Amino acid sequence: MHSWTETLRFAFQPVVNLATGGVAALEILARPEAGDILAEARRDPELDGRVAALAIRAAARKETLLPLHVNVFAGTLADLGGLAALRDAVRDAGRMTWEVTVDVGPPYTHVPRQVLLEAVAGLRADGFRICADGVGDGDVPLRLLTDLAPELIKLDASLLCRPAAVRAMRTLCEQSGALLSVEGVETEAQCAAAVAAGAQLAQGQLFAPPARLPAADVYVPAVAPAVTAVPRSGPSVRQFVRPAALLPATASAGRVRALLTGAADVSGVLLVDAFGVPVRSVHRSRFLLSMSGRYGHALYADRPAVRLGDPPRTVGVDATAWEVLDVVAGGDRDRTSDDVAVVDGRGRCVGVVRLADLVRALAETRVEEAAGLNPLTRLPGSDAITEEVDRRIADGRTFALSWLDVDHFKRVNDGAGFAAGDELIRAVGRALQLAASEDVRVGHIGGDDFLVLADPDGLDRVAASVLDTPWSAGGLAVTLSLATVLCPPGSVSGHRQAAACLAPLKQAAKALPGASWILGRAGLPGHEVRRGPLAGPTPHAACAAGTHPR
């Protein structure tokens, strides 16, 4: 009778980076030719651990350089803890543990929570990365999901038809520093929905089906990038990480040459120490040029490759795209095409980023921003502010939303002319831009209306920048009105409710003569007159949810 291992084969499915269009990793899938070994593995932790180890050995036989994902049931981790067989297989394959992500899958029912968390902590201590698999189509409790703090969360594609749930998971990923992946993508519409949801990774039949040989090419449809609020510091480098070609720092130049000539898509090799920390960076073109020169092979082939490498350029995994550009710009001009190594908190390499990917993404970001700018002031419109309001609500942050406009602006245009009115609007916009900072966002809705989103501590500075300035247009004195609603966590459910709370405050500010500033609190009656006559608390009705200001 044949052993079950003789009927077990493995297939590889690419995990695709939606930002770069490249393959970020390979998930190794068990494919038994007879029987139901997976059902047995669900009941037998020892068997499940052996299947995971065999998956790593199967990948080693295919000589793939890509990071790997192996599947393990949550119950297996709780019973076996450290997965010694998996660690041994990774070592025997010559791979590093941080190149392997353990996809922890359901069922979670009856799995002891604390035991599972301790097992995951042990895997992390060994260097493995953790993925929460089957979210949305399994039984993983939300509390356990947050306690696991996985580096990656995989959503089932069926969840894409529930955008609110996907947005919530995206927020969870942003706050925990995890990447978001969608698995089971079969159509271009699902791919577009995954991009719109902010997923960085995806896998499924659309890109490439599971195959006995690792896929060299994948199909990634052209999808417009997600229009989301981008921090002023730029998009995260996590979106652009590509797999790194890693070799030990002791590797010979001949071994590096064999890797480069055998993999045309590898732009360089990182030589790392025993802990995975980059020691030298070998650029493909410069290295091969040195090796192909006269006596090059004879001189270098059997010698350490570190002699032909350069000091590595590194950035932390939490860096932004702009910070990577600063690293590139601050170095030798001859190395602008070098990959930049991305390292984790321990200094271990988790991948590389390429300059071309960053430049393309930042250019797309600028195009999206420019499309939403007001042509008169070059300030973003209301969409950028309302998206940031929703982001701060999701983050549980206290914020202040303000509405600023010019008093009796029609009289200004009628008395001084539209050119003078336009110049006044531009001047107010410039004053607001000067007051803006990382925590202060300014938008121009249109006409003489501006929106300002700030932390409460920045309110006085913003108000002073526009209310303490004498304004005029064509010789006519002009005053401004400012209305602010302060929104603590839980006081509003979204930007529409915040805007509804702001509307009556604006009317109260406009009713006061001269420069004025009204401050209210979402959901509470009364408001405070910060500037203008009768300064102090004044009663008014609390805001009502769901209405829109005019």
Side-chain angles (χ1 to χ4, degrees):
M1 184 175 182
H2 293 293
S3 168
W4 62 267
T5 58
E6 296 179 11
T7 63
L8 185 63
R9 300 291 182 265
F10 292 92
F12 301 88
Q13 185 168 53
V15 179
V16 175
N17 186 315
L18 294 173
T20 66
V23 179
L26 292 173
E27 181 174 354
I28 315 171
L29 303 170
R31 291 290 186 265
E33 294 183 346
D36 193 352
I37 191 69
L38 297 182
E40 295 180 37
R42 185 181 291 111
R43 298 187 297 268
D44 184 346
E46 290 285 350
L47 177 58
D48 192 30
R50 291 172 62 191
V51 171
L54 285 172
I56 295 294
R57 299 184 194 282
R61 290 194 293 271
K62 305 302 180 183
E63 298 182 349
T64 176
L65 297 174
L66 290 166
L68 303 173
H69 286 243
V70 293
N71 295 282
V72 175
F73 292 112
T76 296
L77 286 183
D79 283 348
L80 298 184
L83 289 180
L86 178 62
R87 286 201 309 272
D88 293 343
V90 172
R91 183 193 63 239
D92 295 344
R95 301 299 294 262
M96 300 177 183
T97 52
W98 48 92
E99 296 179 89
V100 178
T101 298
V102 178
D103 289 9
V104 184
Y108 290 86
T109 304
H110 307 308
V111 176
R113 173 179 165 276
Q114 190 57 41
V115 175
L116 176 59
L117 292 177
E118 290 174 0
V120 166
L123 286 176
R124 279 208 177 91
D126 289 335
F128 289 101
R129 303 186 188 282
I130 303 299
C131 165
D133 199 3
V135 175
D137 194 38
D139 62 345
V140 55
L142 282 178
R143 179 186 172 190
L144 177 60
L145 185 60
T146 56
D147 290 343
L148 285 174
E151 285 80 12
L152 175 65
I153 291 178
K154 286 187 178 181
L155 293 185
D156 188 85
S158 62
L159 208 62
L160 291 173
C161 62
R162 296 170 174 83
V166 179
R167 285 196 300 271
M169 198 56 60
R170 171 64 177 163
T171 300
L172 175 63
C173 288
E174 289 176 349
Q175 293 182 347
S176 64
L179 294 177
L180 181 64
S181 180
V182 178
E183 55 184 348
V185 176
E186 298 181 351
T187 67
E188 294 195 8
Q190 287 181 323
C191 180
V195 172
Q200 295 97 352
L201 305 171
Q203 61 188 103
Q205 295 283 344
L206 174 68
F207 310 107
R212 293 290 176 85
L213 294 177
D217 297 306
V218 293
Y219 169 71
V220 181
V223 179
V227 182
T228 57
V230 177
R232 289 174 179 269
S233 52
S236 169
V237 74
R238 293 172 182 267
Q239 301 177 34
F240 310 103
V241 174
R242 290 176 177 266
L246 304 178
L247 284 178
T250 56
S252 67
R255 185 176 176 186
V256 172
R257 182 178 183 276
L259 190 158
L260 291 174
T261 55
D265 58 332
V266 174
S267 55
V269 176
L270 285 173
L271 304 176
V272 298
D273 65 15
F275 301 100
V277 177
V279 174
R280 303 293 279 183
S281 173
V282 178
H283 184 266
R284 180 187 187 91
S285 298
R286 293 197 299 273
F287 175 84
L288 292 179
L289 184 62
S290 297
M291 290 290 288
S292 62
R294 191 176 186 184
Y295 308 122
H297 189 274
L299 286 172
Y300 300 117
D302 296 326
R303 297 187 178 184
V306 293
R307 298 188 180 186
L308 294 176
D310 299 293
R313 291 177 169 179
T314 61
V315 295
V317 72
D318 294 322
T320 67
W322 290 111
E323 289 172 318
V324 178
L325 291 186
D326 289 340
V327 169
V328 174
D332 189 338
R333 291 185 178 181
D334 293 337
R335 297 187 60 194
T336 54
S337 62
D338 287 21
D339 294 340
V340 177
V342 181
V343 297
D344 63 13
R346 301 183 186 181
R348 303 174 306 186
C349 180
V350 299
V352 295
V353 290
R354 295 179 180 175
L355 183 61
D357 291 336
L358 300 183
V359 171
R360 181 175 64 253
L362 291 173
E364 290 173 348
T365 298
R366 288 293 180 256
V367 169
E368 292 291 341
E369 290 177 351
L373 297 181
N374 185 284
L376 186 61
T377 59
R378 309 305 295 168
L379 288 172
S382 61
D383 286 348
I385 303 300
T386 56
E387 287 172 358
E388 181 63 19
V389 166
D390 287 338
R391 184 182 295 269
R392 296 193 185 192
I393 291 172
D395 290 345
R397 294 174 58 182
T398 297
F399 63 90
L401 182 63
S402 300
W403 193 326
L404 175 77
D405 70 351
V406 178
D407 296 327
H408 310 297
F409 185 63
K410 185 175 185 302
R411 296 182 191 175
V412 174
N413 275 342
D414 292 344
F418 69 86
D422 286 351
E423 182 53 39
L424 172 64
I425 296 302
R426 280 192 287 265
V428 172
R430 286 193 295 269
L432 289 173
Q433 281 181 305
L434 290 174
S437 65
E438 185 68 30
D439 294 322
V440 178
R441 305 292 296 274
V442 178
H444 184 188
I445 303 175
D448 63 324
D449 292 320
F450 296 86
L451 281 178
V452 181
L453 177 63
D455 285 347
D457 293 342
L459 277 176
D460 289 329
R461 178 169 53 86
V462 174
S465 69
V466 289
L467 298 182
D468 290 347
T469 300
W471 299 100
S472 64
L476 298 175
V478 174
T479 59
L480 306 181
S481 294
L482 179 67
T484 300
V485 59
L486 193 64
C487 300
S491 60
V492 291
S493 59
H495 68 267
R496 289 182 174 83
Q497 189 176 0
C501 293
L502 189 56
L505 298 174
K506 178 191 176 186
Q507 297 304 318
K510 298 293 289 182
L512 297 176
S516 61
W517 179 18
I518 294 292
L519 175 67
R521 288 168 173 77
L524 297 179
H527 61 251
E528 178 185 351
V529 180
R530 286 284 186 95
R531 296 287 180 91
L534 305 175
T538 304
H540 80 88
C543 70
T547 58
H548 295 268
R550 294 183 179 180

